């Protein structure tokens, strides 16, 4: 830990005060970190083997072997072997240095999709409403994430909560009201107000502004058995035409959609990274706190995408960028765009070094939600 902190602190100094030499010094620091990591790994293996061998007495103790090896005469290496060894070291070191350069310059990175959470940016409107969608769409996010619930009359309304008290001041459940009753309500948030929108209205507004959607299908115990089929029948063609995507916290919803409408892109929402799931989903929407590069790597190995949510802190945005997620869902779209631009124009070698060193050490650090 102390060694990594020293490397990080020194690289941050180089980034700020020696910008012209920062890249070379970052490559050198990363190389040192890799060497130290491999040495520690080798020493650990030797120590474990020595403990095991001493315990079972199958082979003389490692210390004895070392003493005996010192007695043996060293074999005289030929000039050819010396040159070959030195050449191999140079090739390996050159390859590592080249990889470090590519990594530190961000050449291995793909820019993630920038996704507005509930269709807002820094409280520019009421979540999940058309006026907020229209404002946010002007910033050209890759997707606007939003939520739909089934109504009493088996239609679909744009709403996150299953109870209306928080936004509309009405202590009733979404499933207790018809679509007409719901769209007559006014919701208020962040000093703004707007009418509740049906999914038809919201989808039409998104299509008008050429804005792709990431639709979260919310579930309750009152949902009809035909909810998914109704949704597919009514919206599948429009969603496919406009390259919209779906995600849901309900695995039965994900599985049913993939079975009945396999062309639709469906992501399975996961609140925690406990173990890698085996699902037919096209991807995973993972809460950022426990999301790490190992999960992302496994998903990519299976051809599945990974979205991180809900990422509002700049440091966490940076970490998610370096974790190679495919999309970042945020309430602070403008901030995320600035972080991505800054990372592309002026990458922080210190941050990349810290993240890479942490991964070598076997953990990903703390990520705030």
């Amino acid at each position: 830990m102390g060694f990594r902190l020293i490397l990080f602190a020194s690289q941050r100094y180089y980034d700020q005060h020696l910008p012209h030499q920062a890249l070379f010094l970052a490559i050198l620091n990363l190389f040192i970190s890799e060497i130290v990591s491999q040495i520690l790994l080798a020493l650990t293996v030797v120590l474990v083997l020595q403990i095991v061998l001493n315990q079972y007495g199958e082979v003389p103790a490692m210390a004895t072997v070392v003493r005996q090896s010192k007695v043996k005469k060293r074999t005289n290496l030929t000039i050819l072997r010396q040159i070959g060894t030195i050449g191999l070291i140079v090739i390996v070191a050159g390859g590592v240095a080249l990889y470090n350069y590519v990594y530190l310059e961000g050449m291995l990175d793909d820019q993630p999709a920038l996704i507005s959470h509930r269709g807002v940016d820094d409280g520019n409107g009421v979540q999940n409403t058309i006026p907020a969608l229209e404002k946010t769409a002007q910033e050209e996010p890759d997707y606007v994430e939003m939520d739909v619930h089934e109504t009493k009359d088996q239609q679909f309304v744009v709403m996150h909560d299953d109870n209306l008290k928080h936004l509309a001041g009405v202590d009733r459940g979404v499933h207790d009201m018809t679509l007409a009753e719901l769209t007559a309500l006014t919701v208020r948030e962040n000093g703004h107000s707007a009418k509740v929108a049906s999914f038809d209205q919201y989808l039409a507004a998104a299509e008008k502004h050429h804005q792709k959607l990431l639709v979260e299908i919310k579930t309750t115990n009152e949902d009809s058995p035909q909810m998914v089929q109704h949704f597919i029948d009514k919206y599948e063609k429009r969603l496919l035409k406009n390259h919209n995507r779906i995600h849901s916290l309900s695995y039965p919803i994900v599985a049913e959609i993939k079975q009945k409408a396999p062309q639709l892109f469906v992501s399975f929402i996961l609140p925690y990274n406990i173990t890698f799931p085996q699902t037919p989903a096209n991807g995973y929407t993972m809460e950022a706190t426990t999301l790490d590069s190992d999960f992302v790597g496994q998903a990519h190995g299976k051809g599945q995408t990974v979205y991180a949510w809900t990422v509002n802190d700049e440091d966490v945005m940076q970490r998610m960028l370096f974790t190679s997620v495919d999309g970042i869902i945020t309430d602070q779209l403008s901030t995320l765009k600035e972080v991505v631009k800054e990372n592309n124009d002026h990458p922080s070698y210190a941050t990349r070094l810290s993240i890479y060193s942490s991964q070598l050490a076997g953990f990903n650090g703390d990520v705030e939600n």
Side-chain angles (χ1 to χ4, degrees):
M1 174 65 74
F3 175 73
R4 289 197 305 274
L5 288 176
I6 292 172
L7 285 183
F8 175 75
S10 63
Q11 189 59 52
R12 173 163 285 185
Y13 175 85
Y14 302 148
D15 289 351
Q16 295 174 351
H17 300 284
L18 300 171
H20 298 297
Q21 294 80 31
L23 176 58
F24 170 77
L25 293 169
I27 293 173
L28 181 61
N29 276 338
L30 189 54
F31 188 67
I32 293 172
S33 179
E34 290 164 334
I35 291 176
V36 171
S37 176
Q38 294 304 314
I39 291 175
L40 290 175
L41 177 62
L43 290 176
T44 301
V45 171
V46 169
L47 180 60
V48 171
L49 285 175
Q50 183 173 354
I51 293 173
V52 171
L53 294 175
N54 284 339
Q55 179 71 26
Y56 292 97
E58 296 179 4
V59 179
M62 186 63 66
T64 303
V65 173
V66 172
R67 285 195 296 270
Q68 291 175 348
S69 66
K70 290 181 179 179
V71 178
K72 296 180 179 180
K73 295 181 179 180
R74 297 184 61 184
T75 304
N76 293 324
L77 298 176
T78 65
I79 296 178
L80 182 60
R81 290 181 60 188
Q82 290 177 345
I83 294 175
T85 301
I86 294 173
L88 181 61
I89 292 173
V90 170
I91 291 172
V92 172
V96 172
L98 178 60
Y99 172 82
N100 291 348
Y101 170 79
V102 170
Y103 168 76
L104 289 166
E105 284 291 91
M107 296 179 184
L108 299 177
D109 299 341
D110 291 324
Q111 180 166 312
L114 309 185
I115 306 172
S116 165
H117 187 226
R118 303 186 193 176
V120 296
D121 175 26
D122 193 23
N124 64 347
V126 185
Q127 60 176 277
N128 284 314
T129 61
I130 292 175
L133 165 68
E134 292 174 336
K135 290 180 183 178
T136 303
Q138 294 177 13
E139 301 180 45
E140 300 182 346
D142 295 291
Y143 292 92
V144 161
E145 192 268 353
M146 41 79 67
D147 310 274
V148 297
H149 271 282
E150 187 186 45
T151 65
K152 181 179 180 179
D153 51 346
Q154 297 182 11
Q155 301 299 310
F156 293 93
V157 68
V158 181
M159 182 68 61
H160 178 273
D161 298 344
D162 58 7
N163 187 284
L164 298 158
K165 187 173 183 179
H166 175 61
L167 292 178
V170 178
D171 191 12
R172 296 183 66 183
V174 172
H175 242 290
D176 297 329
M177 304 177 69
T178 65
L179 182 63
E181 292 172 328
L182 287 163
T183 53
L185 296 175
T186 298
V187 286
R188 295 176 173 82
E189 187 180 39
N190 301 318
H192 302 276
S193 62
K195 288 292 185 180
V196 173
S198 69
F199 184 45
D200 291 271
Q201 293 170 329
Y202 198 95
L203 186 57
E207 291 169 347
K208 178 182 177 181
H209 292 277
H210 307 288
Q211 177 61 63
K212 292 185 291 186
L213 300 178
L214 176 59
V215 183
E216 179 175 353
I217 299 179
K218 311 291 285 189
T219 60
T220 68
N221 294 330
E222 290 78 30
D223 293 333
S224 67
Q226 302 83 23
M227 181 186 74
V228 171
Q229 190 62 60
H230 287 164
F231 184 88
I232 291 173
D233 291 343
K234 191 168 186 179
Y235 300 112
E236 179 183 12
K237 291 182 180 179
R238 290 177 71 182
L239 294 177
L240 288 173
K241 179 181 178 181
N242 295 287
H243 307 287
N244 297 317
R245 296 185 169 189
I246 298 169
H247 65 170
S248 180
L249 189 62
S250 168
Y251 178 72
I253 295 291
V254 171
E256 187 175 354
I257 293 176
K258 291 310 300 178
Q259 179 185 14
K260 295 181 176 179
Q263 288 185 302
L264 286 172
F265 181 101
V266 186
S267 180
F268 183 26
I269 300 175
L270 299 171
Y272 303 106
N273 177 16
I274 299 175
T275 184
F276 190 83
Q278 303 296 325
T279 76
N282 298 98
Y284 299 100
T285 305
M286 171 76 72
E287 207 279 331
T289 303
T290 57
L291 177 58
D292 58 26
S293 57
D294 288 339
F295 185 94
V296 175
Q298 289 187 69
H300 288 172
K302 295 180 179 295
Q304 296 170 307
T305 62
V306 179
Y307 295 152
W309 67 279
T310 301
V311 184
N312 295 326
D313 179 81
E314 291 187 29
D315 290 338
V316 184
M317 290 175 183
Q318 284 278 6
R319 190 170 294 277
M320 291 299 102
L321 288 175
F322 298 151
T323 307
S324 298
V325 296
D326 301 284
I328 299 176
I329 301 173
T330 181
D331 297 311
Q332 306 294 331
L333 180 64
S334 298
T335 301
L336 177 58
K337 292 175 70 174
E338 292 174 2
V339 168
V340 171
K341 185 178 186 302
E342 179 67 20
N343 181 69
N344 290 336
D345 295 344
H346 307 286
S348 170
Y349 300 131
T351 301
R352 287 183 176 273
L353 181 65
S354 176
I355 293 172
Y356 191 85
S357 298
S358 296
Q359 293 172 352
L360 284 176
F363 69 95
N364 210 49
D366 296 329
V367 180
E368 300 176 2
N369 179 19

